[in-house]
Amino acid sequence: LLAYPLTYSFMAFDLIMALDPFWYSSLFGGYFFISTFYLGLAGLAFVSVVIRRQMGSSVITPNQLSDLGRLLLGFNLTYLAMVWSQYIVIWYGNLPEETHFIILRLWKMPWAPFSWAVLVLSTLIPFVIFLSQRAKQVPKIMAFVSLSVVLGLWLERYILVAPSLWHAKSLPLGWIEIGAAAGFLGALGLSYLFFLRRFPVVPFPLGETA
């Protein structure tokens, strides 16, 4: 538990923030590992829906889906709070040397549409849908929201990195970027299959209660 925030905080500082030598934020590490945990919960929720579809509702009950929905809603608000905290310090502190990082991503083309799409996909859609208690218990809605969060946070990683390295007016989204994303997706799938071959999907026999 201690290694998780430390590792992802240093990853944020060394692999993302260091790409722009004129911008720095002590909050960025916390923001990054919170968003990573939020992304992990979304992936867990989607996998739970897939397992429920294959093994039945007795394995993943509506109440368990509801609990996952509450966790997603809670970390949705936590992630949004981190985004707001990152912005409010720069605005309230009147720190013009730090505004270029945000202005480039929120107001400059071709990055602006992607940045606003991140806010819609990863915060607005989950927040509005999961205000409903019933929505948290419907597998199709859970799968849709989970994929929305995953797509939104994938775009967020792209927006955090690409503008610091790419200075042309065109969008750097070609076979190299798609291939890198596909490669990491394949590594994720192999890791998941490796885990399933060695551990049971459900940690207790069917018919028993946890």
Side-chain angles (χ1 to χ4, degrees), residues 99-134:
T99 58
H100 77 278
F101 187 88
I102 295 176
I103 291 174
L104 176 61
R105 287 158 174 80
L106 286 179
W107 304 112
K108 300 293 184 180
M109 297 296 290
W111 314 112
F114 290 93
S115 296
W116 292 109
V118 169
L119 292 176
V120 172
L121 291 170
S122 60
T123 60
L124 181 61
I125 290 177
F127 177 76
V128 172
I129 293 178
F130 278 163
L131 287 177
S132 167
Q133 175 64 25
R134 174 60 181 162

PDB file of all heavy atoms in Angstrom, residues 99-134:
ATOM      1  N   THR A  99       0.774  28.538 -15.806  1.00  0.00           N
ATOM      2  CA  THR A  99      -0.482  28.497 -16.562  1.00  0.00           C
ATOM      3  C   THR A  99      -0.317  27.906 -17.953  1.00  0.00           C
ATOM      4  O   THR A  99      -1.288  27.405 -18.527  1.00  0.00           O
ATOM      5  CB  THR A  99      -1.075  29.911 -16.695  1.00  0.00           C
ATOM      6  OG1 THR A  99      -0.114  30.758 -17.351  1.00  0.00           O
ATOM      7  CG2 THR A  99      -1.421  30.488 -15.340  1.00  0.00           C
ATOM      8  N   HIS A 100       0.900  27.968 -18.521  1.00  0.00           N
ATOM      9  CA  HIS A 100       1.058  27.500 -19.895  1.00  0.00           C
ATOM     10  C   HIS A 100       0.737  26.024 -20.039  1.00  0.00           C
ATOM     11  O   HIS A 100       0.239  25.577 -21.072  1.00  0.00           O
ATOM     12  CB  HIS A 100       2.491  27.777 -20.385  1.00  0.00           C
ATOM     13  CG  HIS A 100       3.508  26.819 -19.852  1.00  0.00           C
ATOM     14  ND1 HIS A 100       4.079  26.959 -18.610  1.00  0.00           N
ATOM     15  CD2 HIS A 100       4.034  25.690 -20.394  1.00  0.00           C
ATOM     16  CE1 HIS A 100       4.930  25.984 -18.410  1.00  0.00           C
ATOM     17  NE2 HIS A 100       4.922  25.184 -19.465  1.00  0.00           N
ATOM     18  N   PHE A 101       1.000  25.225 -18.992  1.00  0.00           N
ATOM     19  CA  PHE A 101       0.726  23.790 -19.049  1.00  0.00           C
ATOM     20  C   PHE A 101      -0.766  23.536 -19.221  1.00  0.00           C
ATOM     21  O   PHE A 101      -1.178  22.671 -20.021  1.00  0.00           O
ATOM     22  CB  PHE A 101       1.232  23.127 -17.762  1.00  0.00           C
ATOM     23  CG  PHE A 101       1.162  21.623 -17.775  1.00  0.00           C
ATOM     24  CD1 PHE A 101       2.220  20.877 -18.279  1.00  0.00           C
ATOM     25  CD2 PHE A 101       0.054  20.957 -17.289  1.00  0.00           C
ATOM     26  CE1 PHE A 101       2.164  19.488 -18.294  1.00  0.00           C
ATOM     27  CE2 PHE A 101      -0.011  19.574 -17.303  1.00  0.00           C
ATOM     28  CZ  PHE A 101       1.044  18.839 -17.804  1.00  0.00           C
ATOM     29  N   ILE A 102      -1.594  24.292 -18.506  1.00  0.00           N
ATOM     30  CA  ILE A 102      -3.045  24.108 -18.574  1.00  0.00           C
ATOM     31  C   ILE A 102      -3.625  24.757 -19.826  1.00  0.00           C
ATOM     32  O   ILE A 102      -4.473  24.174 -20.507  1.00  0.00           O
ATOM     33  CB  ILE A 102      -3.705  24.678 -17.304  1.00  0.00           C
ATOM     34  CG1 ILE A 102      -3.262  23.863 -16.080  1.00  0.00           C
ATOM     35  CG2 ILE A 102      -5.225  24.675 -17.425  1.00  0.00           C
ATOM     36  CD1 ILE A 102      -3.763  24.386 -14.781  1.00  0.00           C
ATOM     37  N   ILE A 103      -3.164  25.973 -20.141  1.00  0.00           N
ATOM     38  CA  ILE A 103      -3.685  26.674 -21.324  1.00  0.00           C
ATOM     39  C   ILE A 103      -3.429  25.870 -22.593  1.00  0.00           C
ATOM     40  O   ILE A 103      -4.294  25.756 -23.468  1.00  0.00           O
ATOM     41  CB  ILE A 103      -3.063  28.078 -21.426  1.00  0.00           C
ATOM     42  CG1 ILE A 103      -3.584  28.966 -20.289  1.00  0.00           C
ATOM     43  CG2 ILE A 103      -3.380  28.719 -22.776  1.00  0.00           C
ATOM     44  CD1 ILE A 103      -2.927  30.313 -20.210  1.00  0.00           C
ATOM     45  N   LEU A 104      -2.232  25.293 -22.713  1.00  0.00           N
ATOM     46  CA  LEU A 104      -1.886  24.508 -23.899  1.00  0.00           C
ATOM     47  C   LEU A 104      -2.848  23.350 -24.094  1.00  0.00           C
ATOM     48  O   LEU A 104      -3.229  23.027 -25.225  1.00  0.00           O
ATOM     49  CB  LEU A 104      -0.455  23.976 -23.758  1.00  0.00           C
ATOM     50  CG  LEU A 104       0.049  23.042 -24.856  1.00  0.00           C
ATOM     51  CD1 LEU A 104       0.055  23.748 -26.207  1.00  0.00           C
ATOM     52  CD2 LEU A 104       1.430  22.501 -24.513  1.00  0.00           C
ATOM     53  N   ARG A 105      -3.280  22.728 -23.005  1.00  0.00           N
ATOM     54  CA  ARG A 105      -4.110  21.534 -23.105  1.00  0.00           C
ATOM     55  C   ARG A 105      -5.606  21.843 -23.154  1.00  0.00           C
ATOM     56  O   ARG A 105      -6.361  21.091 -23.772  1.00  0.00           O
ATOM     57  CB  ARG A 105      -3.788  20.601 -21.929  1.00  0.00           C
ATOM     58  CG  ARG A 105      -2.427  19.928 -22.097  1.00  0.00           C
ATOM     59  CD  ARG A 105      -1.852  19.452 -20.786  1.00  0.00           C
ATOM     60  NE  ARG A 105      -0.621  18.695 -21.018  1.00  0.00           N
ATOM     61  CZ  ARG A 105       0.574  19.255 -21.247  1.00  0.00           C
ATOM     62  NH1 ARG A 105       0.683  20.576 -21.270  1.00  0.00           N
ATOM     63  NH2 ARG A 105       1.629  18.502 -21.459  1.00  0.00           N
ATOM     64  N   LEU A 106      -6.034  22.912 -22.517  1.00  0.00           N
ATOM     65  CA  LEU A 106      -7.470  23.205 -22.453  1.00  0.00           C
ATOM     66  C   LEU A 106      -7.957  24.146 -23.541  1.00  0.00           C
ATOM     67  O   LEU A 106      -9.137  24.118 -23.905  1.00  0.00           O
ATOM     68  CB  LEU A 106      -7.828  23.796 -21.086  1.00  0.00           C
ATOM     69  CG  LEU A 106      -7.857  22.830 -19.906  1.00  0.00           C
ATOM     70  CD1 LEU A 106      -8.213  23.575 -18.634  1.00  0.00           C
ATOM     71  CD2 LEU A 106      -8.856  21.705 -20.143  1.00  0.00           C
ATOM     72  N   TRP A 107      -7.072  24.996 -24.074  1.00  0.00           N
ATOM     73  CA  TRP A 107      -7.539  26.040 -24.983  1.00  0.00           C
ATOM     74  C   TRP A 107      -6.858  26.039 -26.342  1.00  0.00           C
ATOM     75  O   TRP A 107      -7.324  26.733 -27.250  1.00  0.00           O
ATOM     76  CB  TRP A 107      -7.347  27.417 -24.327  1.00  0.00           C
ATOM     77  CG  TRP A 107      -8.030  27.524 -23.005  1.00  0.00           C
ATOM     78  CD1 TRP A 107      -7.428  27.632 -21.795  1.00  0.00           C
ATOM     79  CD2 TRP A 107      -9.439  27.489 -22.747  1.00  0.00           C
ATOM     80  NE1 TRP A 107      -8.363  27.675 -20.783  1.00  0.00           N
ATOM     81  CE2 TRP A 107      -9.607  27.593 -21.347  1.00  0.00           C
ATOM     82  CE3 TRP A 107     -10.572  27.375 -23.556  1.00  0.00           C
ATOM     83  CZ2 TRP A 107     -10.866  27.593 -20.750  1.00  0.00           C
ATOM     84  CZ3 TRP A 107     -11.825  27.377 -22.957  1.00  0.00           C
ATOM     85  CH2 TRP A 107     -11.953  27.484 -21.572  1.00  0.00           C
ATOM     86  N   LYS A 108      -5.770  25.312 -26.500  1.00  0.00           N
ATOM     87  CA  LYS A 108      -5.042  25.311 -27.764  1.00  0.00           C
ATOM     88  C   LYS A 108      -5.410  24.073 -28.588  1.00  0.00           C
ATOM     89  O   LYS A 108      -5.603  22.982 -28.045  1.00  0.00           O
ATOM     90  CB  LYS A 108      -3.523  25.333 -27.514  1.00  0.00           C
ATOM     91  CG  LYS A 108      -3.035  26.549 -26.746  1.00  0.00           C
ATOM     92  CD  LYS A 108      -3.190  27.826 -27.548  1.00  0.00           C
ATOM     93  CE  LYS A 108      -2.599  29.020 -26.804  1.00  0.00           C
ATOM     94  NZ  LYS A 108      -2.732  30.264 -27.572  1.00  0.00           N
ATOM     95  N   MET A 109      -5.491  24.281 -29.897  1.00  0.00           N
ATOM     96  CA  MET A 109      -5.745  23.168 -30.805  1.00  0.00           C
ATOM     97  C   MET A 109      -4.413  22.501 -31.159  1.00  0.00           C
ATOM     98  O   MET A 109      -3.386  23.179 -31.207  1.00  0.00           O
ATOM     99  CB  MET A 109      -6.448  23.667 -32.063  1.00  0.00           C
ATOM    100  CG  MET A 109      -7.819  24.253 -31.784  1.00  0.00           C
ATOM    101  SD  MET A 109      -8.972  23.028 -31.132  1.00  0.00           S
ATOM    102  CE  MET A 109      -9.220  22.004 -32.592  1.00  0.00           C
ATOM    103  N   PRO A 110      -4.396  21.184 -31.377  1.00  0.00           N
ATOM    104  CA  PRO A 110      -5.549  20.272 -31.451  1.00  0.00           C
ATOM    105  C   PRO A 110      -5.869  19.570 -30.143  1.00  0.00           C
ATOM    106  O   PRO A 110      -6.588  18.572 -30.129  1.00  0.00           O
ATOM    107  CB  PRO A 110      -5.054  19.246 -32.484  1.00  0.00           C
ATOM    108  CG  PRO A 110      -3.582  19.147 -32.198  1.00  0.00           C
ATOM    109  CD  PRO A 110      -3.142  20.529 -31.798  1.00  0.00           C
ATOM    110  N   TRP A 111      -5.345  20.076 -29.013  1.00  0.00           N
ATOM    111  CA  TRP A 111      -5.465  19.363 -27.736  1.00  0.00           C
ATOM    112  C   TRP A 111      -6.770  19.631 -27.007  1.00  0.00           C
ATOM    113  O   TRP A 111      -7.239  18.767 -26.251  1.00  0.00           O
ATOM    114  CB  TRP A 111      -4.289  19.742 -26.832  1.00  0.00           C
ATOM    115  CG  TRP A 111      -2.978  19.727 -27.520  1.00  0.00           C
ATOM    116  CD1 TRP A 111      -2.177  20.795 -27.811  1.00  0.00           C
ATOM    117  CD2 TRP A 111      -2.303  18.588 -28.056  1.00  0.00           C
ATOM    118  NE1 TRP A 111      -1.052  20.406 -28.473  1.00  0.00           N
ATOM    119  CE2 TRP A 111      -1.100  19.049 -28.641  1.00  0.00           C
ATOM    120  CE3 TRP A 111      -2.587  17.222 -28.096  1.00  0.00           C
ATOM    121  CZ2 TRP A 111      -0.194  18.202 -29.248  1.00  0.00           C
ATOM    122  CZ3 TRP A 111      -1.688  16.369 -28.712  1.00  0.00           C
ATOM    123  CH2 TRP A 111      -0.514  16.856 -29.271  1.00  0.00           C
ATOM    124  N   ALA A 112      -7.364  20.795 -27.187  1.00  0.00           N
ATOM    125  CA  ALA A 112      -8.522  21.196 -26.393  1.00  0.00           C
ATOM    126  C   ALA A 112      -9.681  20.200 -26.464  1.00  0.00           C
ATOM    127  O   ALA A 112     -10.250  19.839 -25.409  1.00  0.00           O
ATOM    128  CB  ALA A 112      -8.980  22.596 -26.806  1.00  0.00           C
ATOM    129  N   PRO A 113     -10.111  19.735 -27.645  1.00  0.00           N
ATOM    130  CA  PRO A 113     -11.238  18.788 -27.670  1.00  0.00           C
ATOM    131  C   PRO A 113     -10.981  17.521 -26.868  1.00  0.00           C
ATOM    132  O   PRO A 113     -11.891  16.987 -26.216  1.00  0.00           O
ATOM    133  CB  PRO A 113     -11.403  18.472 -29.169  1.00  0.00           C
ATOM    134  CG  PRO A 113     -10.802  19.636 -29.868  1.00  0.00           C
ATOM    135  CD  PRO A 113      -9.665  20.074 -29.010  1.00  0.00           C
ATOM    136  N   PHE A 114      -9.747  17.054 -26.880  1.00  0.00           N
ATOM    137  CA  PHE A 114      -9.421  15.850 -26.125  1.00  0.00           C
ATOM    138  C   PHE A 114      -9.479  16.105 -24.622  1.00  0.00           C
ATOM    139  O   PHE A 114      -9.939  15.258 -23.852  1.00  0.00           O
ATOM    140  CB  PHE A 114      -8.031  15.344 -26.521  1.00  0.00           C
ATOM    141  CG  PHE A 114      -7.969  14.779 -27.908  1.00  0.00           C
ATOM    142  CD1 PHE A 114      -7.609  15.577 -28.975  1.00  0.00           C
ATOM    143  CD2 PHE A 114      -8.285  13.454 -28.153  1.00  0.00           C
ATOM    144  CE1 PHE A 114      -7.555  15.059 -30.255  1.00  0.00           C
ATOM    145  CE2 PHE A 114      -8.232  12.925 -29.423  1.00  0.00           C
ATOM    146  CZ  PHE A 114      -7.875  13.734 -30.483  1.00  0.00           C
ATOM    147  N   SER A 115      -9.013  17.270 -24.195  1.00  0.00           N
ATOM    148  CA  SER A 115      -9.037  17.597 -22.765  1.00  0.00           C
ATOM    149  C   SER A 115     -10.469  17.692 -22.243  1.00  0.00           C
ATOM    150  O   SER A 115     -10.782  17.168 -21.164  1.00  0.00           O
ATOM    151  CB  SER A 115      -8.305  18.916 -22.524  1.00  0.00           C
ATOM    152  OG  SER A 115      -6.941  18.809 -22.862  1.00  0.00           O
ATOM    153  N   TRP A 116     -11.342  18.339 -22.991  1.00  0.00           N
ATOM    154  CA  TRP A 116     -12.741  18.436 -22.567  1.00  0.00           C
ATOM    155  C   TRP A 116     -13.426  17.077 -22.646  1.00  0.00           C
ATOM    156  O   TRP A 116     -14.303  16.764 -21.824  1.00  0.00           O
ATOM    157  CB  TRP A 116     -13.476  19.471 -23.410  1.00  0.00           C
ATOM    158  CG  TRP A 116     -13.003  20.865 -23.141  1.00  0.00           C
ATOM    159  CD1 TRP A 116     -12.255  21.661 -23.964  1.00  0.00           C
ATOM    160  CD2 TRP A 116     -13.193  21.629 -21.944  1.00  0.00           C
ATOM    161  NE1 TRP A 116     -11.972  22.865 -23.369  1.00  0.00           N
ATOM    162  CE2 TRP A 116     -12.544  22.871 -22.126  1.00  0.00           C
ATOM    163  CE3 TRP A 116     -13.857  21.389 -20.743  1.00  0.00           C
ATOM    164  CZ2 TRP A 116     -12.545  23.874 -21.149  1.00  0.00           C
ATOM    165  CZ3 TRP A 116     -13.862  22.378 -19.762  1.00  0.00           C
ATOM    166  CH2 TRP A 116     -13.209  23.593 -19.971  1.00  0.00           C
ATOM    167  N   ALA A 117     -13.018  16.241 -23.607  1.00  0.00           N
ATOM    168  CA  ALA A 117     -13.568  14.887 -23.681  1.00  0.00           C
ATOM    169  C   ALA A 117     -13.174  14.072 -22.448  1.00  0.00           C
ATOM    170  O   ALA A 117     -13.965  13.259 -21.952  1.00  0.00           O
ATOM    171  CB  ALA A 117     -13.077  14.185 -24.951  1.00  0.00           C
ATOM    172  N   VAL A 118     -11.966  14.300 -21.939  1.00  0.00           N
ATOM    173  CA  VAL A 118     -11.534  13.616 -20.717  1.00  0.00           C
ATOM    174  C   VAL A 118     -12.462  13.954 -19.560  1.00  0.00           C
ATOM    175  O   VAL A 118     -12.906  13.066 -18.815  1.00  0.00           O
ATOM    176  CB  VAL A 118     -10.081  14.002 -20.374  1.00  0.00           C
ATOM    177  CG1 VAL A 118      -9.715  13.521 -18.969  1.00  0.00           C
ATOM    178  CG2 VAL A 118      -9.117  13.419 -21.391  1.00  0.00           C
ATOM    179  N   LEU A 119     -12.800  15.230 -19.394  1.00  0.00           N
ATOM    180  CA  LEU A 119     -13.682  15.641 -18.296  1.00  0.00           C
ATOM    181  C   LEU A 119     -15.069  15.027 -18.436  1.00  0.00           C
ATOM    182  O   LEU A 119     -15.679  14.602 -17.454  1.00  0.00           O
ATOM    183  CB  LEU A 119     -13.771  17.164 -18.251  1.00  0.00           C
ATOM    184  CG  LEU A 119     -12.498  17.908 -17.838  1.00  0.00           C
ATOM    185  CD1 LEU A 119     -12.706  19.414 -17.920  1.00  0.00           C
ATOM    186  CD2 LEU A 119     -12.075  17.510 -16.430  1.00  0.00           C
ATOM    187  N   VAL A 120     -15.558  14.965 -19.663  1.00  0.00           N
ATOM    188  CA  VAL A 120     -16.900  14.399 -19.887  1.00  0.00           C
ATOM    189  C   VAL A 120     -16.900  12.894 -19.634  1.00  0.00           C
ATOM    190  O   VAL A 120     -17.758  12.361 -18.915  1.00  0.00           O
ATOM    191  CB  VAL A 120     -17.385  14.715 -21.312  1.00  0.00           C
ATOM    192  CG1 VAL A 120     -18.679  13.966 -21.619  1.00  0.00           C
ATOM    193  CG2 VAL A 120     -17.612  16.215 -21.481  1.00  0.00           C
ATOM    194  N   LEU A 121     -15.927  12.192 -20.226  1.00  0.00           N
ATOM    195  CA  LEU A 121     -15.917  10.729 -20.148  1.00  0.00           C
ATOM    196  C   LEU A 121     -15.573  10.206 -18.766  1.00  0.00           C
ATOM    197  O   LEU A 121     -16.179   9.240 -18.294  1.00  0.00           O
ATOM    198  CB  LEU A 121     -14.914  10.174 -21.166  1.00  0.00           C
ATOM    199  CG  LEU A 121     -15.287  10.328 -22.641  1.00  0.00           C
ATOM    200  CD1 LEU A 121     -14.101   9.953 -23.532  1.00  0.00           C
ATOM    201  CD2 LEU A 121     -16.486   9.472 -22.989  1.00  0.00           C
ATOM    202  N   SER A 122     -14.616  10.822 -18.114  1.00  0.00           N
ATOM    203  CA  SER A 122     -14.116  10.256 -16.855  1.00  0.00           C
ATOM    204  C   SER A 122     -14.765  10.850 -15.609  1.00  0.00           C
ATOM    205  O   SER A 122     -14.641  10.264 -14.521  1.00  0.00           O
ATOM    206  CB  SER A 122     -12.595  10.437 -16.762  1.00  0.00           C
ATOM    207  OG  SER A 122     -12.246  11.806 -16.795  1.00  0.00           O
ATOM    208  N   THR A 123     -15.443  11.981 -15.728  1.00  0.00           N
ATOM    209  CA  THR A 123     -16.064  12.585 -14.542  1.00  0.00           C
ATOM    210  C   THR A 123     -17.563  12.832 -14.702  1.00  0.00           C
ATOM    211  O   THR A 123     -18.359  12.409 -13.865  1.00  0.00           O
ATOM    212  CB  THR A 123     -15.375  13.916 -14.174  1.00  0.00           C
ATOM    213  OG1 THR A 123     -15.485  14.827 -15.279  1.00  0.00           O
ATOM    214  CG2 THR A 123     -13.908  13.706 -13.861  1.00  0.00           C
ATOM    215  N   LEU A 124     -17.970  13.515 -15.768  1.00  0.00           N
ATOM    216  CA  LEU A 124     -19.372  13.915 -15.893  1.00  0.00           C
ATOM    217  C   LEU A 124     -20.295  12.723 -16.092  1.00  0.00           C
ATOM    218  O   LEU A 124     -21.305  12.574 -15.382  1.00  0.00           O
ATOM    219  CB  LEU A 124     -19.529  14.911 -17.048  1.00  0.00           C
ATOM    220  CG  LEU A 124     -20.962  15.442 -17.269  1.00  0.00           C
ATOM    221  CD1 LEU A 124     -21.452  16.176 -16.032  1.00  0.00           C
ATOM    222  CD2 LEU A 124     -21.007  16.351 -18.494  1.00  0.00           C
ATOM    223  N   ILE A 125     -19.984  11.859 -17.054  1.00  0.00           N
ATOM    224  CA  ILE A 125     -20.853  10.708 -17.331  1.00  0.00           C
ATOM    225  C   ILE A 125     -20.981   9.780 -16.118  1.00  0.00           C
ATOM    226  O   ILE A 125     -22.105   9.427 -15.714  1.00  0.00           O
ATOM    227  CB  ILE A 125     -20.346   9.946 -18.570  1.00  0.00           C
ATOM    228  CG1 ILE A 125     -20.590  10.782 -19.832  1.00  0.00           C
ATOM    229  CG2 ILE A 125     -21.032   8.590 -18.696  1.00  0.00           C
ATOM    230  CD1 ILE A 125     -20.056  10.148 -21.101  1.00  0.00           C
ATOM    231  N   PRO A 126     -19.867   9.347 -15.478  1.00  0.00           N
ATOM    232  CA  PRO A 126     -20.024   8.492 -14.288  1.00  0.00           C
ATOM    233  C   PRO A 126     -20.783   9.172 -13.162  1.00  0.00           C
ATOM    234  O   PRO A 126     -21.584   8.522 -12.471  1.00  0.00           O
ATOM    235  CB  PRO A 126     -18.577   8.191 -13.881  1.00  0.00           C
ATOM    236  CG  PRO A 126     -17.775   8.419 -15.112  1.00  0.00           C
ATOM    237  CD  PRO A 126     -18.456   9.531 -15.840  1.00  0.00           C
ATOM    238  N   PHE A 127     -20.549  10.466 -12.950  1.00  0.00           N
ATOM    239  CA  PHE A 127     -21.219  11.162 -11.853  1.00  0.00           C
ATOM    240  C   PHE A 127     -22.729  11.204 -12.070  1.00  0.00           C
ATOM    241  O   PHE A 127     -23.505  10.875 -11.159  1.00  0.00           O
ATOM    242  CB  PHE A 127     -20.670  12.584 -11.729  1.00  0.00           C
ATOM    243  CG  PHE A 127     -21.353  13.405 -10.674  1.00  0.00           C
ATOM    244  CD1 PHE A 127     -21.070  13.203  -9.336  1.00  0.00           C
ATOM    245  CD2 PHE A 127     -22.290  14.362 -11.012  1.00  0.00           C
ATOM    246  CE1 PHE A 127     -21.704  13.955  -8.352  1.00  0.00           C
ATOM    247  CE2 PHE A 127     -22.930  15.110 -10.050  1.00  0.00           C
ATOM    248  CZ  PHE A 127     -22.640  14.905  -8.709  1.00  0.00           C
ATOM    249  N   VAL A 128     -23.167  11.581 -13.260  1.00  0.00           N
ATOM    250  CA  VAL A 128     -24.601  11.704 -13.534  1.00  0.00           C
ATOM    251  C   VAL A 128     -25.290  10.344 -13.454  1.00  0.00           C
ATOM    252  O   VAL A 128     -26.363  10.206 -12.843  1.00  0.00           O
ATOM    253  CB  VAL A 128     -24.824  12.350 -14.921  1.00  0.00           C
ATOM    254  CG1 VAL A 128     -26.304  12.291 -15.303  1.00  0.00           C
ATOM    255  CG2 VAL A 128     -24.349  13.794 -14.913  1.00  0.00           C
ATOM    256  N   ILE A 129     -24.685   9.323 -14.049  1.00  0.00           N
ATOM    257  CA  ILE A 129     -25.326   7.999 -14.074  1.00  0.00           C
ATOM    258  C   ILE A 129     -25.368   7.368 -12.693  1.00  0.00           C
ATOM    259  O   ILE A 129     -26.389   6.819 -12.269  1.00  0.00           O
ATOM    260  CB  ILE A 129     -24.598   7.083 -15.078  1.00  0.00           C
ATOM    261  CG1 ILE A 129     -24.817   7.597 -16.506  1.00  0.00           C
ATOM    262  CG2 ILE A 129     -25.092   5.642 -14.956  1.00  0.00           C
ATOM    263  CD1 ILE A 129     -24.103   6.788 -17.569  1.00  0.00           C
ATOM    264  N   PHE A 130     -24.269   7.459 -11.948  1.00  0.00           N
ATOM    265  CA  PHE A 130     -24.196   6.764 -10.667  1.00  0.00           C
ATOM    266  C   PHE A 130     -24.849   7.535  -9.521  1.00  0.00           C
ATOM    267  O   PHE A 130     -24.787   7.090  -8.372  1.00  0.00           O
ATOM    268  CB  PHE A 130     -22.745   6.431 -10.326  1.00  0.00           C
ATOM    269  CG  PHE A 130     -22.257   5.185 -11.016  1.00  0.00           C
ATOM    270  CD1 PHE A 130     -20.904   4.921 -11.115  1.00  0.00           C
ATOM    271  CD2 PHE A 130     -23.139   4.285 -11.570  1.00  0.00           C
ATOM    272  CE1 PHE A 130     -20.439   3.782 -11.746  1.00  0.00           C
ATOM    273  CE2 PHE A 130     -22.699   3.142 -12.203  1.00  0.00           C
ATOM    274  CZ  PHE A 130     -21.348   2.890 -12.293  1.00  0.00           C
ATOM    275  N   LEU A 131     -25.470   8.658  -9.817  1.00  0.00           N
ATOM    276  CA  LEU A 131     -26.344   9.257  -8.812  1.00  0.00           C
ATOM    277  C   LEU A 131     -27.562   8.377  -8.552  1.00  0.00           C
ATOM    278  O   LEU A 131     -28.186   8.463  -7.501  1.00  0.00           O
ATOM    279  CB  LEU A 131     -26.797  10.653  -9.265  1.00  0.00           C
ATOM    280  CG  LEU A 131     -25.745  11.764  -9.205  1.00  0.00           C
ATOM    281  CD1 LEU A 131     -26.327  13.061  -9.747  1.00  0.00           C
ATOM    282  CD2 LEU A 131     -25.247  11.968  -7.777  1.00  0.00           C
ATOM    283  N   SER A 132     -27.874   7.523  -9.517  1.00  0.00           N
ATOM    284  CA  SER A 132     -28.984   6.581  -9.381  1.00  0.00           C
ATOM    285  C   SER A 132     -28.503   5.299  -8.711  1.00  0.00           C
ATOM    286  O   SER A 132     -27.530   4.682  -9.165  1.00  0.00           O
ATOM    287  CB  SER A 132     -29.571   6.266 -10.758  1.00  0.00           C
ATOM    288  OG  SER A 132     -30.435   5.150 -10.697  1.00  0.00           O
ATOM    289  N   GLN A 133     -29.166   4.887  -7.647  1.00  0.00           N
ATOM    290  CA  GLN A 133     -28.822   3.640  -6.982  1.00  0.00           C
ATOM    291  C   GLN A 133     -29.091   2.449  -7.887  1.00  0.00           C
ATOM    292  O   GLN A 133     -28.330   1.482  -7.924  1.00  0.00           O
ATOM    293  CB  GLN A 133     -29.621   3.501  -5.683  1.00  0.00           C
ATOM    294  CG  GLN A 133     -29.433   2.176  -4.953  1.00  0.00           C
ATOM    295  CD  GLN A 133     -28.014   1.967  -4.462  1.00  0.00           C
ATOM    296  OE1 GLN A 133     -27.299   2.941  -4.237  1.00  0.00           O
ATOM    297  NE2 GLN A 133     -27.606   0.719  -4.292  1.00  0.00           N
ATOM    298  N   ARG A 134     -30.171   2.508  -8.646  1.00  0.00           N
ATOM    299  CA  ARG A 134     -30.536   1.409  -9.535  1.00  0.00           C
ATOM    300  C   ARG A 134     -29.486   1.215 -10.627  1.00  0.00           C
ATOM    301  O   ARG A 134     -29.172   0.077 -10.995  1.00  0.00           O
ATOM    302  CB  ARG A 134     -31.908   1.697 -10.158  1.00  0.00           C
ATOM    303  CG  ARG A 134     -32.354   0.714 -11.224  1.00  0.00           C
ATOM    304  CD  ARG A 134     -32.453  -0.691 -10.706  1.00  0.00           C
ATOM    305  NE  ARG A 134     -32.855  -1.623 -11.735  1.00  0.00           N
ATOM    306  CZ  ARG A 134     -32.698  -2.940 -11.654  1.00  0.00           C
ATOM    307  NH1 ARG A 134     -32.143  -3.466 -10.572  1.00  0.00           N
ATOM    308  NH2 ARG A 134     -33.101  -3.726 -12.640  1.00  0.00           N
TER     309      ARG A 134
END
